[in-house]
């Protein structure tokens, strides 16, 4: 399901990690959860864990300055944020600029869980629930939060399936950062919905991309 330069993760492993991250989150019904991170498997676990816990995924560009992150925190009042150790201080400083109480979950602090039970399949009963809140500045003014439902995503998935994209044989190379809807849909959600694999390029450096291509042999 996921390739990195250092590991290959099966769907069973991905599901176990999603379940584990969801357990750590607890109930997030009608709450927003920020993800501020570089592209990595933990980002993907976090997306599905937030949904499993009943929350709305709010991905934020990890290259944003503190003022921009603080603006989003003030605007959507998230209950929690997933981030990496590398970005922890930036996240702390950004939260400090607000009066919000936001729980920080650092990927490197999450112990690997030896989940014995078989995770339940991912299913979402309320298709009109807001799945993603994606901030975009457009051309002018402050960033606006765009609300996308599971129905919105499903409409994309159905058309892609009709066109013959994203079969279980597909290996998709992830290059773009996951705070945009295009890479979230195109290199995670559509891939997993079709049963294929996603290969995470470690950076935009051409040598890194070529090394990942040699390892994963992407088809898309």
């Amino acid at each position: 399901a996921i390739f990195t330069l250092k590991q290959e993760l099966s769907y069973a492993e991905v599901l176990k990690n999603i379940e584990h991250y969801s357990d750590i989150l607890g109930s997030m019904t009608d709450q927003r959860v920020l993800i501020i991170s570089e592209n990595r498997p933990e980002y993907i676990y976090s997306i599905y864990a937030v949904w499993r816990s009943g929350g709305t995924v709010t991905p934020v560009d990890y290259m944003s300055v503190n003022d921009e992150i603080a603006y989003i925190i003030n605007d959507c009042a998230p209950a929690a944020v997933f981030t990496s150790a590398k970005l922890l201080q930036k996240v702390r400083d950004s939260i400090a600029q607000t009066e919000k109480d936001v729980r920080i979950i650092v990927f490197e602090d999450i112990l690997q869980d030896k989940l014995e039970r078989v995770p339940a399949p991912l299913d979402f009963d309320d298709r009109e629930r807001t799945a993603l809140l994606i901030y975009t500045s457009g051309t002018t003014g402050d960033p606006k939060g765009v609300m996308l439902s599971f129905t919105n995503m499903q409409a994309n998935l159905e058309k892609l399936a009709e066109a013959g994209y994203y079969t279980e044989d597909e290996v998709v190379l992830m290059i773009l950062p996951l705070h945009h809807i295009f890479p979230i849909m195109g290199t995670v959600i559509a891939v997993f919905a079709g049963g294929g694999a996603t290969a995470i390029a470690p950076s935009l450096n051409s040598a890194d991309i070529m090394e990942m291509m040699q390892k994963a042999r992407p088809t898309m």
Side-chain angles (χ1 to χ4, degrees), residues 173-220:
L173 183 64
M174 179 194 296
I175 300 176
L176 296 174
L178 287 174
H179 63 276
H180 291 298
I181 185 58
F182 182 47
I184 287 179
M185 282 297 302
T187 62
V188 178
I189 297 163
V191 179
F192 283 14
T198 190
I200 303 174
S203 78
L204 291 172
N205 182 291
S206 59
D208 283 341
I209 292 170
M210 288 176 67
E211 188 178 358
M212 193 69 242
M213 290 182 75
Q214 287 170 344
K215 175 178 179 177
R217 301 290 177 187
T219 59
M220 185 191 293

Side-chain angles (χ1 to χ4, degrees), residues 83-156:
T83 192
S84 64
K86 182 179 178 181
L87 297 166
L88 177 58
Q89 194 57 52
K90 175 187 275 195
V91 171
R92 281 178 172 160
D93 292 344
S94 300
I95 293 171
Q97 290 182 220
T98 75
E99 295 182 0
K100 305 297 183 186
D101 181 18
V102 186
R103 177 182 165 207
I104 302 174
I105 305 169
V106 181
F107 294 142
E108 285 82 356
D109 292 344
I110 299 174
L111 299 174
Q112 290 299 307
D113 186 41
K114 304 300 181 187
L115 195 70
E116 297 302 327
R117 67 187 184 279
V118 177
L122 292 163
D123 191 29
F124 310 105
D125 295 330
D126 183 3
R127 297 281 170 175
E128 295 309 314
R129 179 160 68 83
T130 301
L132 290 161
L133 181 62
I134 295 185
Y135 279 83
T136 174
S137 56
T139 53
T140 59
D142 293 323
K144 311 295 190 297
V146 179
M147 298 180 290
L148 296 171
S149 69
F150 289 106
T151 298
N152 293 147
M153 293 193 295
Q154 188 62 35
N156 273 278

Side-chain angles (χ1 to χ4, degrees), residues 37-105:
S37 170
E38 317 87 343
N39 287 2
R40 53 193 291 174
E42 293 88 350
Y43 202 127
I44 297 172
Y45 308 154
S46 301
I47 291 171
Y48 287 94
V50 172
W51 290 339
R52 174 161 273 174
S53 293
T56 296
V57 173
T58 308
V60 179
D61 183 358
Y62 73 91
M63 296 183 72
S64 298
V65 299
N66 294 3
D67 287 352
E68 292 168 334
I69 297 172
Y71 172 85
I72 291 171
I73 291 169
N74 272 321
D75 191 62
C76 74
V81 53
F82 280 109
T83 192
S84 64
K86 182 179 178 181
L87 297 166
L88 177 58
Q89 194 57 52
K90 175 187 275 195
V91 171
R92 281 178 172 160
D93 292 344
S94 300
I95 293 171
Q97 290 182 220
T98 75
E99 295 182 0
K100 305 297 183 186
D101 181 18
V102 186
R103 177 182 165 207
I104 302 174
I105 305 169

